[in-house]
Amino acid sequence: MSSSTSTTPGSLGSKLLRKGRDSVLGMDPQKIIKNFFGANSGITIVVLVLIMVFLLREGAGFLGTYHQELEVYRKAGLEFCDIADTPLKEQQLLTSALRRAKTTTDAALKTALTDAEDAFDTAIEPAAEILLELKTHATETKELATEHHTLEAGRQQLLEAAAGTSDAKHKADLLKEAELSKVDAPDYAERIATMLERRGELSQALTDYTTALETAAATLPEAVSDVKKAVPAHVATIRKATENLQKWSWEEPVSYFTAVRSFLFGSAWITNSSWHDIYGVVPLLVGSLLISLVALLLATPISISAAIYTNQFATDREKEIIKPVIEFIQAIPSVVLGFIGIAVVGDLIKGISQWELLSWVPGFPIQERLNIFNAGFLLAFMAVPTMFSLAEDALNNVPRAYAEASDALGATKLQTVFRVIVPAALSGILSAILLGLGRVVGETMVVLLVAGNRIAIPDFGDGVGVIFQPAHTLTGIIAQELGEVSRGSSHWQALFMVGILLFLISLAVNGCARAIAKRFEHSKA
């Protein structure tokens, strides 16, 4: 504010500065500025709290809803059917393996495999037929239970509305409508009794299948050794299922702990199913961690090496080139990187994996061009600017006296850098790596486009080659499904629970980074 403006009678300046330069509207300018920045800090905290409250409000009801669905799953007999269905699904995998092996040109082998496949299919038929009938019955029970739950929820809303109105006629109409919508709950005991009557028959059919399977497997040629090796495990699964069928009880209560355990440790994420929705985050969590690990392993040496070179060895001209170029990477939209991953990187990796020279690499040749490695590679590219900038700042914060003391002792430049400067900045560098990890864990668009989006736990039997398998992630599932689900449904709430889990992971990563940074500040002092 110029002096002329502040002294002109009737001007805006004279109105604001009542006591000259030291007062604005009668208040201390420094106090105004302090309050302004304080208010902005407060707004930041309020927004963060509102985000947390929103996440918790939308996701908090999930456990109750999922618990109720799990109760229906058990009382309707769906759980009983799934116990018997597990060995049948394994049987389908075995016959698929036999079918693939039948592509051989060896006529004798082909005949033997055909006979084995027919024997497998014939042996499982009785159990499959019984299970199909039980599934139909269980599905009808579930539909009855769902209808009852929906009508009962609506009836409760009508009763609440009737209790809140003072209009006698309107109240009578609401009560009448509530009475008409009243439907009795399904008689679970009666309907389950129908299923349990066939429990012995189903168990016997599975036992007979086991006997026939072992007989047929004994005649399998050695050319399908993988199928022969899988048979004992398959038999064990059948016997375990038969045992569980005998112990199963629809009256056993479903605890809230079961709902929590099913969500946090469940190995399946099945939604929009006419059978039963299952929300287990383990496949998504494993996918996120594997992709983040690949990204971290690729980005860390690149970004830290670049930071050390730029800070300690590069000329001023080189710094003017390197820093803007690396920081420019942040300006590339993630969706563009996703396009590159689909159109270029995926094909490139798949093409290289076909090279005979690299056939020793675990997982090569790869089958899917959209996989964990592809996503991790692109995320590493995105994390490099963050890790580079923070690591370079950490190196800058090392007191100059450290280097001067090292030089005075006659150390070479390399000795000073790697035995004095880098160790002194190690805490800040680790903090940079952790913040880079937080960056890749929260990324959505790239993983959604190039990770393959297969909701299954990757097969760790491939060893390191597991990174060339498709996967899905916590962020990707939210972006993919949130726009397609009904607001307030269990599916909606489950996605918000995934968001809460992501929030906690990010909080833990940032907490670790902050703790390390705090240690860095202490050592600096």
Side-chain angles (χ1 to χ4, degrees):
M1 184 74 63
S2 66
S3 58
S4 59
T5 303
S6 62
T7 55
T8 304
S11 67
L12 180 61
S14 63
K15 292 178 182 177
L16 294 176
L17 302 177
R18 293 177 182 174
K19 296 181 180 179
R21 294 178 181 274
D22 298 332
S23 175
V24 177
L25 295 175
M27 298 175 61
D28 183 357
Q30 293 189 11
K31 189 174 181 180
I32 291 175
I33 294 173
K34 179 183 175 183
N35 290 337
F36 173 75
F37 286 109
N40 280 280
S41 301
I43 289 172
T44 305
I45 295 172
V46 168
V47 170
L48 179 61
V49 170
L50 288 176
I51 291 173
M52 293 172 64
V53 169
F54 177 70
L55 282 174
L56 290 172
R57 190 194 68 178
E58 296 295 330
F62 169 73
L63 290 179
T65 307
Y66 195 36
H67 173 256
Q68 188 269 331
E69 290 184 353
L70 288 176
E71 280 191 330
V72 171
Y73 174 67
R74 176 166 294 174
K75 290 181 177 179
L78 301 176
E79 185 182 52
F80 181 83
C81 295
D82 274 345
I83 292 173
D85 204 26
T86 301
L88 268 68
K89 289 178 179 174
E90 281 194 4
Q91 187 269 343
Q92 291 174 357
L93 293 177
L94 283 178
T95 52
S96 295
L98 290 175
R99 209 170 295 123
R100 288 195 298 272
K102 282 166 57 181
T103 55
T104 177
T105 56
D106 187 333
L109 176 60
K110 197 169 186 176
T111 302
L113 294 176
T114 303
D115 293 342
E117 183 186 351
D118 292 342
F120 282 18
D121 287 340
T122 303
I124 199 67
E125 277 182 6
E129 289 176 0
I130 297 171
L131 184 59
L132 181 60
E133 294 174 14
L134 295 182
K135 278 185 173 182
T136 304
H137 188 78
T139 305
E140 291 174 356
T141 307
K142 179 199 172 187
E143 290 173 354
L144 290 172
T146 304
E147 181 184 6
H148 169 259
H149 177 73
T150 304
L151 292 175
E152 183 61 23
R155 194 173 76 88
Q156 291 301 326
Q157 290 179 352
L158 290 172
L159 292 175
E160 290 175 6
T165 182
S166 57
D167 187 332
K169 184 177 182 308
H170 185 48
K171 184 172 186 176
D173 291 341
L174 290 172
L175 291 174
K176 183 179 179 181
E177 190 175 351
E179 185 62 24
L180 290 174
S181 65
K182 189 174 182 181
V183 174
D184 293 334
D187 189 343
Y188 291 111
E190 181 182 354
R191 296 191 65 83
I192 285 295
T194 304
M195 299 182 67
L196 295 183
E197 286 174 358
R198 307 195 68 180
R199 174 156 56 182
E201 186 183 354
L202 179 60
S203 298
Q204 185 58 50
L206 288 173
T207 303
D208 294 343
Y209 164 66
T210 305
T211 306
L213 174 72
E214 290 178 319
T215 304
T219 62
L220 277 175
E222 289 299 329
V224 287
S225 58
D226 54 337
V227 177
K228 288 175 73 73
K229 290 178 182 175
V231 168
H234 181 43
V235 170
T237 301
I238 298 169
R239 289 175 177 157
K240 183 68 176 175
T242 306
E243 183 182 338
N244 288 336
L245 284 175
Q246 297 302 321
K247 293 190 297 186
W248 182 80
S249 171
W250 71 277
E251 295 177 298
E252 185 178 346
V254 178
S255 65
Y256 278 92
F257 174 73
T258 302
V260 175
R261 185 185 60 191
S262 177
F263 177 74
L264 292 179
F265 303 105
S267 59
W269 179 277
I270 302 172
T271 56
N272 300 320
S273 168
S274 59
W275 181 253
H276 178 67
D277 287 350
I278 297 175
Y279 306 103
V281 296
V282 171
L284 308 174
L285 188 59
V286 172
S288 292
L289 293 179
L290 281 176
I291 291 172
S292 300
L293 182 63
V294 170
L296 208 59
L297 290 176
L298 293 176
T300 299
I302 296 173
S303 55
I304 303 305
S305 300
I308 292 173
Y309 177 79
T310 305
N311 187 268
Q312 294 294 320
F313 299 105
T315 63
D316 291 341
R317 179 60 181 162
E318 288 174 330
K319 289 179 182 178
E320 290 176 359
I321 297 174
I322 295 174
K323 282 188 175 183
V325 167
I326 291 180
E327 290 169 358
F328 174 74
I329 297 173
Q330 290 181 322
I332 302 175
S334 58
V335 69
V336 174
L337 287 177
F339 290 160
I340 295 173
I342 293 173
V344 180
V345 179
D347 291 335
L348 182 64
I349 295 173
K350 188 168 184 178
I352 292 175
S353 75
Q354 310 291 333
W355 294 356
E356 185 66 26
L357 182 66
L358 298 177
S359 59
W360 56 271
V361 176
F364 278 18
I366 64 174
Q367 303 298 320
E368 306 283 349
R369 62 192 181 91
L370 303 183
N371 53 49
I372 293 171
F373 182 82
N374 192 348
F377 177 80
L378 292 175
L379 286 185
F381 190 66
M382 296 177 67
V384 162
T386 301
M387 296 168 68
F388 168 82
S389 298
L390 294 173
E392 219 256 331
D393 287 345
L395 292 167
N396 269 333
N397 287 332
V398 175
R400 185 184 297 272
Y402 285 27
E404 293 174 351
S406 179
D407 291 340
L409 291 173
T412 63
K413 179 65 176 177
L414 285 178
Q415 288 173 327
T416 300
V417 170
F418 292 105
R419 295 189 178 183
V420 178
I421 304 297
V422 172
L426 190 58
S427 297
I429 292 173
L430 290 175
S431 178
I433 294 172
L434 285 177
L435 289 172
L437 174 62
R439 171 79 174 85
V440 300
V441 166
E443 174 54 35
T444 303
M445 184 55 70
V446 167
V447 294
L448 191 61
L449 290 174
V450 302
N453 297 339
R454 178 188 293 170
I455 307 177
I457 298 175
D459 182 8
F460 285 91
D462 287 351
V464 181
V466 70
I467 63 174
F468 297 108
Q469 297 176 20
H472 218 319
T473 63
L474 296 169
T475 53
I477 202 72
I478 295 174
Q480 186 179 36
E481 297 186 350
L482 190 61
E484 302 174 354
V485 300
S486 301
R487 190 182 182 92
S489 64
S490 60
H491 191 174
W492 167 276
Q493 293 170 334
L495 293 175
F496 273 88
M497 283 295 288
V498 173
I500 292 172
L501 186 60
L502 262 174
F503 183 83
L504 293 176
I505 292 173
S506 298
L507 197 65
V509 171
N510 281 278
C512 290
R514 184 174 174 79
I516 292 174
K518 188 175 181 181
R519 182 186 172 192
F520 170 74
E521 291 174 0
H522 177 71
S523 63
K524 180 183 174 184

